[in-house]
Amino acid sequence: VLMGIIGVAIGLVVAFTAAGAALIIAGFAALFAVPPVGLCILGAGLIVIGLDILLIFPLVKWAFSMIIKLIQWVVNTIKNFINNRQNANA
């Protein structure tokens, strides 16, 4: 489940960043053809990038902290298993 959440978080970051960048580039291109439409597209791109920074980056930060905790838990479990096994043999 944790890996699924992490995959979704990374996918959302990539999708929102790509969509924001594409809208900004398209906005600049449309700005020279039809200025009001270009400004609207630029604004939409900036809003998407802002949402990306405000909402999704904290989710990714949380997901990576959970990965670190998961790895620490696995390592501690293996260490405890090895220590218990050595104590049983002694």
Side-chain angles (χ1 to χ4, degrees):
V1 175
L2 179 63
M3 295 310 240
I5 292 172
I6 292 167
V8 168
I10 292 172
L12 284 174
V13 167
V14 170
F16 269 68
T17 305
L23 283 171
I24 290 173
I25 292 169
F28 276 118
L31 191 62
F32 296 108
V34 184
V37 173
L39 287 175
C40 289
I41 295 173
L42 274 171
L46 291 174
I47 289 171
V48 170
I49 293 290
L51 287 174
D52 189 25
I53 292 170
L54 290 175
L55 299 176
I56 297 175
F57 280 144
L59 176 65
V60 172
K61 184 178 177 182
W62 172 82
F64 280 116
S65 71
M66 289 294 115
I67 288 176
I68 292 170
K69 289 180 182 179
L70 176 69
I71 291 171
Q72 289 174 346
W73 176 79
V74 169
V75 168
N76 288 335
T77 303
I78 292 171
K79 282 182 183 179
N80 289 337
F81 178 74
I82 291 171
N83 288 338
N84 290 341
R85 194 167 170 156
Q86 287 176 351
N87 290 340
N89 290 337

